[in-house]
Amino acid sequence: MDLNGWYFCLRHHEVEHGLGCKAAERMGPYPDQATAERALEISKERNEAADAQRRKWDDDDD
């Protein structure tokens, strides 16, 4: 684990730098605090992109 990275704690909904909550409760590491603050938004964007890609994949099978 990158002990100097920035993380978003899913338990406390706060950004942590370095050591913090258990890894299973955190997202990251992120390169900086601002990016870690956007962790949930980034995750949502990635999920939406993956869903769109899956729909396209499924449509190509028809």
PDB file of all heavy atoms in Angstrom, residues 24-57:
ATOM      1  N   ALA A  24      -9.707  -2.077   3.066  1.00  0.00           N
ATOM      2  CA  ALA A  24     -11.001  -2.514   2.550  1.00  0.00           C
ATOM      3  C   ALA A  24     -12.064  -1.417   2.643  1.00  0.00           C
ATOM      4  O   ALA A  24     -13.090  -1.489   1.969  1.00  0.00           O
ATOM      5  CB  ALA A  24     -11.470  -3.749   3.303  1.00  0.00           C
ATOM      6  N   GLU A  25     -11.802  -0.394   3.438  1.00  0.00           N
ATOM      7  CA  GLU A  25     -12.749   0.699   3.629  1.00  0.00           C
ATOM      8  C   GLU A  25     -12.350   1.967   2.882  1.00  0.00           C
ATOM      9  O   GLU A  25     -12.967   3.013   3.078  1.00  0.00           O
ATOM     10  CB  GLU A  25     -12.889   1.014   5.123  1.00  0.00           C
ATOM     11  CG  GLU A  25     -13.451  -0.142   5.921  1.00  0.00           C
ATOM     12  CD  GLU A  25     -13.468   0.123   7.408  1.00  0.00           C
ATOM     13  OE1 GLU A  25     -12.760   1.050   7.878  1.00  0.00           O
ATOM     14  OE2 GLU A  25     -14.191  -0.594   8.111  1.00  0.00           O
ATOM     15  N   ARG A  26     -11.309   1.850   2.029  1.00  0.00           N
ATOM     16  CA  ARG A  26     -10.815   3.050   1.364  1.00  0.00           C
ATOM     17  C   ARG A  26     -10.726   2.861  -0.140  1.00  0.00           C
ATOM     18  O   ARG A  26     -10.551   1.759  -0.642  1.00  0.00           O
ATOM     19  CB  ARG A  26      -9.421   3.418   1.881  1.00  0.00           C
ATOM     20  CG  ARG A  26      -9.394   3.583   3.365  1.00  0.00           C
ATOM     21  CD  ARG A  26      -8.212   4.307   3.914  1.00  0.00           C
ATOM     22  NE  ARG A  26      -6.898   3.852   3.501  1.00  0.00           N
ATOM     23  CZ  ARG A  26      -5.777   4.488   3.789  1.00  0.00           C
ATOM     24  NH1 ARG A  26      -5.808   5.590   4.481  1.00  0.00           N
ATOM     25  NH2 ARG A  26      -4.623   4.024   3.409  1.00  0.00           N
ATOM     26  N   MET A  27     -10.829   3.964  -0.854  1.00  0.00           N
ATOM     27  CA  MET A  27     -10.604   3.992  -2.294  1.00  0.00           C
ATOM     28  C   MET A  27      -9.309   4.748  -2.524  1.00  0.00           C
ATOM     29  O   MET A  27      -9.048   5.753  -1.880  1.00  0.00           O
ATOM     30  CB  MET A  27     -11.768   4.699  -3.002  1.00  0.00           C
ATOM     31  CG  MET A  27     -13.098   4.001  -2.813  1.00  0.00           C
ATOM     32  SD  MET A  27     -14.484   4.967  -3.459  1.00  0.00           S
ATOM     33  CE  MET A  27     -14.193   4.806  -5.216  1.00  0.00           C
ATOM     34  N   GLY A  28      -8.507   4.255  -3.453  1.00  0.00           N
ATOM     35  CA  GLY A  28      -7.260   4.940  -3.748  1.00  0.00           C
ATOM     36  C   GLY A  28      -6.118   3.966  -3.867  1.00  0.00           C
ATOM     37  O   GLY A  28      -6.346   2.763  -3.894  1.00  0.00           O
ATOM     38  N   PRO A  29      -4.912   4.425  -3.968  1.00  0.00           N
ATOM     39  CA  PRO A  29      -4.488   5.802  -3.726  1.00  0.00           C
ATOM     40  C   PRO A  29      -4.745   6.709  -4.933  1.00  0.00           C
ATOM     41  O   PRO A  29      -4.807   6.260  -6.075  1.00  0.00           O
ATOM     42  CB  PRO A  29      -2.995   5.673  -3.476  1.00  0.00           C
ATOM     43  CG  PRO A  29      -2.579   4.496  -4.292  1.00  0.00           C
ATOM     44  CD  PRO A  29      -3.751   3.560  -4.247  1.00  0.00           C
ATOM     45  N   TYR A  30      -4.877   7.973  -4.633  1.00  0.00           N
ATOM     46  CA  TYR A  30      -5.027   9.015  -5.635  1.00  0.00           C
ATOM     47  C   TYR A  30      -3.798   9.917  -5.563  1.00  0.00           C
ATOM     48  O   TYR A  30      -3.151  10.001  -4.525  1.00  0.00           O
ATOM     49  CB  TYR A  30      -6.306   9.824  -5.389  1.00  0.00           C
ATOM     50  CG  TYR A  30      -7.546   8.984  -5.574  1.00  0.00           C
ATOM     51  CD1 TYR A  30      -8.170   8.371  -4.497  1.00  0.00           C
ATOM     52  CD2 TYR A  30      -8.062   8.766  -6.834  1.00  0.00           C
ATOM     53  CE1 TYR A  30      -9.287   7.573  -4.672  1.00  0.00           C
ATOM     54  CE2 TYR A  30      -9.182   7.976  -7.019  1.00  0.00           C
ATOM     55  CZ  TYR A  30      -9.781   7.388  -5.932  1.00  0.00           C
ATOM     56  OH  TYR A  30     -10.887   6.595  -6.119  1.00  0.00           O
ATOM     57  N   PRO A  31      -3.492  10.620  -6.645  1.00  0.00           N
ATOM     58  CA  PRO A  31      -2.255  11.409  -6.672  1.00  0.00           C
ATOM     59  C   PRO A  31      -2.270  12.651  -5.793  1.00  0.00           C
ATOM     60  O   PRO A  31      -1.214  13.160  -5.411  1.00  0.00           O
ATOM     61  CB  PRO A  31      -2.105  11.787  -8.147  1.00  0.00           C
ATOM     62  CG  PRO A  31      -3.499  11.732  -8.698  1.00  0.00           C
ATOM     63  CD  PRO A  31      -4.197  10.649  -7.919  1.00  0.00           C
ATOM     64  N   ASP A  32      -3.487  13.142  -5.479  1.00  0.00           N
ATOM     65  CA  ASP A  32      -3.567  14.366  -4.679  1.00  0.00           C
ATOM     66  C   ASP A  32      -4.897  14.427  -3.944  1.00  0.00           C
ATOM     67  O   ASP A  32      -5.802  13.628  -4.191  1.00  0.00           O
ATOM     68  CB  ASP A  32      -3.374  15.608  -5.562  1.00  0.00           C
ATOM     69  CG  ASP A  32      -4.320  15.624  -6.754  1.00  0.00           C
ATOM     70  OD1 ASP A  32      -5.531  15.440  -6.563  1.00  0.00           O
ATOM     71  OD2 ASP A  32      -3.828  15.794  -7.888  1.00  0.00           O
ATOM     72  N   GLN A  33      -5.016  15.369  -3.049  1.00  0.00           N
ATOM     73  CA  GLN A  33      -6.208  15.501  -2.220  1.00  0.00           C
ATOM     74  C   GLN A  33      -7.447  15.799  -3.057  1.00  0.00           C
ATOM     75  O   GLN A  33      -8.513  15.231  -2.826  1.00  0.00           O
ATOM     76  CB  GLN A  33      -6.004  16.594  -1.172  1.00  0.00           C
ATOM     77  CG  GLN A  33      -7.185  16.748  -0.235  1.00  0.00           C
ATOM     78  CD  GLN A  33      -6.948  17.767   0.850  1.00  0.00           C
ATOM     79  OE1 GLN A  33      -5.874  18.353   0.940  1.00  0.00           O
ATOM     80  NE2 GLN A  33      -7.936  17.995   1.682  1.00  0.00           N
ATOM     81  N   ALA A  34      -7.322  16.686  -4.026  1.00  0.00           N
ATOM     82  CA  ALA A  34      -8.479  17.058  -4.842  1.00  0.00           C
ATOM     83  C   ALA A  34      -9.049  15.860  -5.592  1.00  0.00           C
ATOM     84  O   ALA A  34     -10.274  15.712  -5.694  1.00  0.00           O
ATOM     85  CB  ALA A  34      -8.085  18.160  -5.824  1.00  0.00           C
ATOM     86  N   THR A  35      -8.197  15.001  -6.098  1.00  0.00           N
ATOM     87  CA  THR A  35      -8.662  13.816  -6.804  1.00  0.00           C
ATOM     88  C   THR A  35      -9.325  12.848  -5.829  1.00  0.00           C
ATOM     89  O   THR A  35     -10.371  12.272  -6.131  1.00  0.00           O
ATOM     90  CB  THR A  35      -7.505  13.137  -7.551  1.00  0.00           C
ATOM     91  OG1 THR A  35      -6.876  14.106  -8.396  1.00  0.00           O
ATOM     92  CG2 THR A  35      -7.998  11.982  -8.401  1.00  0.00           C
ATOM     93  N   ALA A  36      -8.746  12.675  -4.660  1.00  0.00           N
ATOM     94  CA  ALA A  36      -9.345  11.800  -3.646  1.00  0.00           C
ATOM     95  C   ALA A  36     -10.725  12.310  -3.228  1.00  0.00           C
ATOM     96  O   ALA A  36     -11.631  11.518  -2.982  1.00  0.00           O
ATOM     97  CB  ALA A  36      -8.425  11.686  -2.433  1.00  0.00           C
ATOM     98  N   GLU A  37     -10.887  13.620  -3.175  1.00  0.00           N
ATOM     99  CA  GLU A  37     -12.188  14.196  -2.822  1.00  0.00           C
ATOM    100  C   GLU A  37     -13.251  13.850  -3.860  1.00  0.00           C
ATOM    101  O   GLU A  37     -14.438  13.814  -3.552  1.00  0.00           O
ATOM    102  CB  GLU A  37     -12.074  15.713  -2.669  1.00  0.00           C
ATOM    103  CG  GLU A  37     -11.312  16.120  -1.433  1.00  0.00           C
ATOM    104  CD  GLU A  37     -10.985  17.595  -1.370  1.00  0.00           C
ATOM    105  OE1 GLU A  37     -11.168  18.319  -2.381  1.00  0.00           O
ATOM    106  OE2 GLU A  37     -10.513  18.040  -0.302  1.00  0.00           O
ATOM    107  N   ARG A  38     -12.838  13.582  -5.083  1.00  0.00           N
ATOM    108  CA  ARG A  38     -13.754  13.229  -6.173  1.00  0.00           C
ATOM    109  C   ARG A  38     -13.899  11.716  -6.351  1.00  0.00           C
ATOM    110  O   ARG A  38     -14.454  11.251  -7.333  1.00  0.00           O
ATOM    111  CB  ARG A  38     -13.239  13.823  -7.488  1.00  0.00           C
ATOM    112  CG  ARG A  38     -13.270  15.333  -7.555  1.00  0.00           C
ATOM    113  CD  ARG A  38     -12.939  15.854  -8.966  1.00  0.00           C
ATOM    114  NE  ARG A  38     -13.828  15.270  -9.955  1.00  0.00           N
ATOM    115  CZ  ARG A  38     -13.440  14.425 -10.936  1.00  0.00           C
ATOM    116  NH1 ARG A  38     -12.180  14.075 -11.056  1.00  0.00           N
ATOM    117  NH2 ARG A  38     -14.307  13.941 -11.798  1.00  0.00           N
ATOM    118  N   ALA A  39     -13.434  10.917  -5.409  1.00  0.00           N
ATOM    119  CA  ALA A  39     -13.390   9.467  -5.555  1.00  0.00           C
ATOM    120  C   ALA A  39     -14.746   8.872  -5.936  1.00  0.00           C
ATOM    121  O   ALA A  39     -14.831   8.048  -6.856  1.00  0.00           O
ATOM    122  CB  ALA A  39     -12.864   8.815  -4.284  1.00  0.00           C
ATOM    123  N   LEU A  40     -15.797   9.269  -5.258  1.00  0.00           N
ATOM    124  CA  LEU A  40     -17.114   8.703  -5.560  1.00  0.00           C
ATOM    125  C   LEU A  40     -17.597   9.133  -6.939  1.00  0.00           C
ATOM    126  O   LEU A  40     -18.189   8.339  -7.677  1.00  0.00           O
ATOM    127  CB  LEU A  40     -18.122   9.098  -4.485  1.00  0.00           C
ATOM    128  CG  LEU A  40     -17.846   8.535  -3.089  1.00  0.00           C
ATOM    129  CD1 LEU A  40     -18.891   9.039  -2.097  1.00  0.00           C
ATOM    130  CD2 LEU A  40     -17.807   7.015  -3.115  1.00  0.00           C
ATOM    131  N   GLU A  41     -17.328  10.371  -7.301  1.00  0.00           N
ATOM    132  CA  GLU A  41     -17.701  10.872  -8.628  1.00  0.00           C
ATOM    133  C   GLU A  41     -16.919  10.137  -9.713  1.00  0.00           C
ATOM    134  O   GLU A  41     -17.480   9.745 -10.742  1.00  0.00           O
ATOM    135  CB  GLU A  41     -17.436  12.377  -8.703  1.00  0.00           C
ATOM    136  CG  GLU A  41     -17.843  13.015 -10.005  1.00  0.00           C
ATOM    137  CD  GLU A  41     -17.561  14.508 -10.020  1.00  0.00           C
ATOM    138  OE1 GLU A  41     -17.395  15.116  -8.947  1.00  0.00           O
ATOM    139  OE2 GLU A  41     -17.506  15.062 -11.133  1.00  0.00           O
ATOM    140  N   ILE A  42     -15.638   9.932  -9.496  1.00  0.00           N
ATOM    141  CA  ILE A  42     -14.798   9.206 -10.449  1.00  0.00           C
ATOM    142  C   ILE A  42     -15.306   7.781 -10.607  1.00  0.00           C
ATOM    143  O   ILE A  42     -15.436   7.270 -11.729  1.00  0.00           O
ATOM    144  CB  ILE A  42     -13.328   9.218 -10.002  1.00  0.00           C
ATOM    145  CG1 ILE A  42     -12.757  10.635 -10.117  1.00  0.00           C
ATOM    146  CG2 ILE A  42     -12.493   8.217 -10.795  1.00  0.00           C
ATOM    147  CD1 ILE A  42     -11.414  10.820  -9.427  1.00  0.00           C
ATOM    148  N   SER A  43     -15.649   7.152  -9.502  1.00  0.00           N
ATOM    149  CA  SER A  43     -16.175   5.787  -9.545  1.00  0.00           C
ATOM    150  C   SER A  43     -17.476   5.735 -10.335  1.00  0.00           C
ATOM    151  O   SER A  43     -17.691   4.837 -11.160  1.00  0.00           O
ATOM    152  CB  SER A  43     -16.398   5.279  -8.121  1.00  0.00           C
ATOM    153  OG  SER A  43     -16.955   4.006  -8.138  1.00  0.00           O
ATOM    154  N   LYS A  44     -18.359   6.679 -10.106  1.00  0.00           N
ATOM    155  CA  LYS A  44     -19.631   6.738 -10.832  1.00  0.00           C
ATOM    156  C   LYS A  44     -19.385   6.907 -12.331  1.00  0.00           C
ATOM    157  O   LYS A  44     -20.011   6.224 -13.158  1.00  0.00           O
ATOM    158  CB  LYS A  44     -20.491   7.881 -10.304  1.00  0.00           C
ATOM    159  CG  LYS A  44     -21.828   7.989 -10.991  1.00  0.00           C
ATOM    160  CD  LYS A  44     -22.640   9.137 -10.443  1.00  0.00           C
ATOM    161  CE  LYS A  44     -23.938   9.259 -11.235  1.00  0.00           C
ATOM    162  NZ  LYS A  44     -24.690  10.447 -10.882  1.00  0.00           N
ATOM    163  N   GLU A  45     -18.470   7.796 -12.698  1.00  0.00           N
ATOM    164  CA  GLU A  45     -18.143   8.017 -14.116  1.00  0.00           C
ATOM    165  C   GLU A  45     -17.600   6.745 -14.753  1.00  0.00           C
ATOM    166  O   GLU A  45     -17.979   6.388 -15.883  1.00  0.00           O
ATOM    167  CB  GLU A  45     -17.130   9.149 -14.258  1.00  0.00           C
ATOM    168  CG  GLU A  45     -17.677  10.511 -13.903  1.00  0.00           C
ATOM    169  CD  GLU A  45     -16.600  11.574 -13.767  1.00  0.00           C
ATOM    170  OE1 GLU A  45     -15.392  11.254 -13.907  1.00  0.00           O
ATOM    171  OE2 GLU A  45     -16.960  12.735 -13.511  1.00  0.00           O
ATOM    172  N   ARG A  46     -16.721   6.044 -14.046  1.00  0.00           N
ATOM    173  CA  ARG A  46     -16.146   4.805 -14.576  1.00  0.00           C
ATOM    174  C   ARG A  46     -17.210   3.720 -14.715  1.00  0.00           C
ATOM    175  O   ARG A  46     -17.218   2.976 -15.702  1.00  0.00           O
ATOM    176  CB  ARG A  46     -15.011   4.326 -13.676  1.00  0.00           C
ATOM    177  CG  ARG A  46     -13.786   5.207 -13.762  1.00  0.00           C
ATOM    178  CD  ARG A  46     -12.707   4.742 -12.809  1.00  0.00           C
ATOM    179  NE  ARG A  46     -11.533   5.591 -12.895  1.00  0.00           N
ATOM    180  CZ  ARG A  46     -10.521   5.547 -12.068  1.00  0.00           C
ATOM    181  NH1 ARG A  46     -10.508   4.672 -11.075  1.00  0.00           N
ATOM    182  NH2 ARG A  46      -9.483   6.349 -12.222  1.00  0.00           N
ATOM    183  N   ASN A  47     -18.109   3.630 -13.739  1.00  0.00           N
ATOM    184  CA  ASN A  47     -19.187   2.644 -13.823  1.00  0.00           C
ATOM    185  C   ASN A  47     -20.118   2.936 -14.996  1.00  0.00           C
ATOM    186  O   ASN A  47     -20.534   2.017 -15.712  1.00  0.00           O
ATOM    187  CB  ASN A  47     -19.989   2.600 -12.521  1.00  0.00           C
ATOM    188  CG  ASN A  47     -19.240   1.919 -11.411  1.00  0.00           C
ATOM    189  OD1 ASN A  47     -18.324   1.139 -11.643  1.00  0.00           O
ATOM    190  ND2 ASN A  47     -19.619   2.218 -10.177  1.00  0.00           N
ATOM    191  N   GLU A  48     -20.444   4.211 -15.199  1.00  0.00           N
ATOM    192  CA  GLU A  48     -21.301   4.583 -16.322  1.00  0.00           C
ATOM    193  C   GLU A  48     -20.626   4.260 -17.652  1.00  0.00           C
ATOM    194  O   GLU A  48     -21.276   3.769 -18.581  1.00  0.00           O
ATOM    195  CB  GLU A  48     -21.675   6.056 -16.235  1.00  0.00           C
ATOM    196  CG  GLU A  48     -22.646   6.354 -15.112  1.00  0.00           C
ATOM    197  CD  GLU A  48     -22.880   7.827 -14.881  1.00  0.00           C
ATOM    198  OE1 GLU A  48     -22.172   8.679 -15.486  1.00  0.00           O
ATOM    199  OE2 GLU A  48     -23.762   8.148 -14.064  1.00  0.00           O
ATOM    200  N   ALA A  49     -19.337   4.519 -17.759  1.00  0.00           N
ATOM    201  CA  ALA A  49     -18.600   4.207 -18.985  1.00  0.00           C
ATOM    202  C   ALA A  49     -18.565   2.699 -19.217  1.00  0.00           C
ATOM    203  O   ALA A  49     -18.747   2.228 -20.351  1.00  0.00           O
ATOM    204  CB  ALA A  49     -17.186   4.775 -18.920  1.00  0.00           C
ATOM    205  N   ALA A  50     -18.349   1.925 -18.162  1.00  0.00           N
ATOM    206  CA  ALA A  50     -18.328   0.463 -18.293  1.00  0.00           C
ATOM    207  C   ALA A  50     -19.701  -0.065 -18.678  1.00  0.00           C
ATOM    208  O   ALA A  50     -19.815  -0.982 -19.518  1.00  0.00           O
ATOM    209  CB  ALA A  50     -17.859  -0.176 -16.989  1.00  0.00           C
ATOM    210  N   ASP A  51     -20.763   0.509 -18.101  1.00  0.00           N
ATOM    211  CA  ASP A  51     -22.122   0.095 -18.453  1.00  0.00           C
ATOM    212  C   ASP A  51     -22.411   0.391 -19.917  1.00  0.00           C
ATOM    213  O   ASP A  51     -23.006  -0.428 -20.625  1.00  0.00           O
ATOM    214  CB  ASP A  51     -23.153   0.795 -17.571  1.00  0.00           C
ATOM    215  CG  ASP A  51     -23.137   0.306 -16.130  1.00  0.00           C
ATOM    216  OD1 ASP A  51     -22.533  -0.765 -15.862  1.00  0.00           O
ATOM    217  OD2 ASP A  51     -23.721   1.004 -15.271  1.00  0.00           O
ATOM    218  N   ALA A  52     -21.993   1.565 -20.384  1.00  0.00           N
ATOM    219  CA  ALA A  52     -22.198   1.929 -21.782  1.00  0.00           C
ATOM    220  C   ALA A  52     -21.429   0.991 -22.702  1.00  0.00           C
ATOM    221  O   ALA A  52     -21.935   0.566 -23.746  1.00  0.00           O
ATOM    222  CB  ALA A  52     -21.780   3.378 -22.023  1.00  0.00           C
ATOM    223  N   GLN A  53     -20.206   0.660 -22.308  1.00  0.00           N
ATOM    224  CA  GLN A  53     -19.403  -0.259 -23.112  1.00  0.00           C
ATOM    225  C   GLN A  53     -20.055  -1.637 -23.154  1.00  0.00           C
ATOM    226  O   GLN A  53     -20.103  -2.276 -24.207  1.00  0.00           O
ATOM    227  CB  GLN A  53     -17.991  -0.359 -22.545  1.00  0.00           C
ATOM    228  CG  GLN A  53     -17.056  -1.190 -23.385  1.00  0.00           C
ATOM    229  CD  GLN A  53     -15.641  -1.183 -22.831  1.00  0.00           C
ATOM    230  OE1 GLN A  53     -15.401  -0.780 -21.693  1.00  0.00           O
ATOM    231  NE2 GLN A  53     -14.704  -1.617 -23.639  1.00  0.00           N
ATOM    232  N   ARG A  54     -20.598  -2.106 -22.039  1.00  0.00           N
ATOM    233  CA  ARG A  54     -21.274  -3.405 -22.005  1.00  0.00           C
ATOM    234  C   ARG A  54     -22.524  -3.392 -22.889  1.00  0.00           C
ATOM    235  O   ARG A  54     -22.785  -4.346 -23.619  1.00  0.00           O
ATOM    236  CB  ARG A  54     -21.658  -3.803 -20.589  1.00  0.00           C
ATOM    237  CG  ARG A  54     -22.392  -5.153 -20.547  1.00  0.00           C
ATOM    238  CD  ARG A  54     -22.572  -5.658 -19.157  1.00  0.00           C
ATOM    239  NE  ARG A  54     -21.328  -5.962 -18.518  1.00  0.00           N
ATOM    240  CZ  ARG A  54     -20.700  -7.141 -18.593  1.00  0.00           C
ATOM    241  NH1 ARG A  54     -21.213  -8.110 -19.312  1.00  0.00           N
ATOM    242  NH2 ARG A  54     -19.574  -7.333 -17.956  1.00  0.00           N
ATOM    243  N   ARG A  55     -23.303  -2.289 -22.838  1.00  0.00           N
ATOM    244  CA  ARG A  55     -24.486  -2.183 -23.697  1.00  0.00           C
ATOM    245  C   ARG A  55     -24.078  -2.236 -25.156  1.00  0.00           C
ATOM    246  O   ARG A  55     -24.720  -2.906 -25.967  1.00  0.00           O
ATOM    247  CB  ARG A  55     -25.258  -0.901 -23.390  1.00  0.00           C
ATOM    248  CG  ARG A  55     -26.082  -0.976 -22.127  1.00  0.00           C
ATOM    249  CD  ARG A  55     -27.032   0.202 -21.994  1.00  0.00           C
ATOM    250  NE  ARG A  55     -26.344   1.483 -21.924  1.00  0.00           N
ATOM    251  CZ  ARG A  55     -25.868   2.016 -20.807  1.00  0.00           C
ATOM    252  NH1 ARG A  55     -26.000   1.378 -19.665  1.00  0.00           N
ATOM    253  NH2 ARG A  55     -25.265   3.180 -20.833  1.00  0.00           N
ATOM    254  N   LYS A  56     -23.010  -1.546 -25.518  1.00  0.00           N
ATOM    255  CA  LYS A  56     -22.528  -1.554 -26.897  1.00  0.00           C
ATOM    256  C   LYS A  56     -22.091  -2.964 -27.274  1.00  0.00           C
ATOM    257  O   LYS A  56     -22.410  -3.457 -28.362  1.00  0.00           O
ATOM    258  CB  LYS A  56     -21.366  -0.576 -27.068  1.00  0.00           C
ATOM    259  CG  LYS A  56     -20.845  -0.499 -28.487  1.00  0.00           C
ATOM    260  CD  LYS A  56     -19.725   0.503 -28.596  1.00  0.00           C
ATOM    261  CE  LYS A  56     -19.180   0.664 -29.985  1.00  0.00           C
ATOM    262  NZ  LYS A  56     -19.042  -0.497 -30.786  1.00  0.00           N
ATOM    263  N   TRP A  57     -21.395  -3.623 -26.384  1.00  0.00           N
ATOM    264  CA  TRP A  57     -20.934  -5.003 -26.625  1.00  0.00           C
ATOM    265  C   TRP A  57     -22.145  -5.916 -26.848  1.00  0.00           C
ATOM    266  O   TRP A  57     -22.166  -6.722 -27.772  1.00  0.00           O
ATOM    267  CB  TRP A  57     -20.109  -5.485 -25.438  1.00  0.00           C
ATOM    268  CG  TRP A  57     -19.637  -6.890 -25.541  1.00  0.00           C
ATOM    269  CD1 TRP A  57     -20.302  -8.005 -25.142  1.00  0.00           C
ATOM    270  CD2 TRP A  57     -18.404  -7.342 -26.084  1.00  0.00           C
ATOM    271  NE1 TRP A  57     -19.569  -9.121 -25.387  1.00  0.00           N
ATOM    272  CE2 TRP A  57     -18.382  -8.749 -25.972  1.00  0.00           C
ATOM    273  CE3 TRP A  57     -17.307  -6.693 -26.638  1.00  0.00           C
ATOM    274  CZ2 TRP A  57     -17.323  -9.509 -26.405  1.00  0.00           C
ATOM    275  CZ3 TRP A  57     -16.250  -7.474 -27.054  1.00  0.00           C
ATOM    276  CH2 TRP A  57     -16.250  -8.851 -26.946  1.00  0.00           C
TER     277      TRP A  57
END
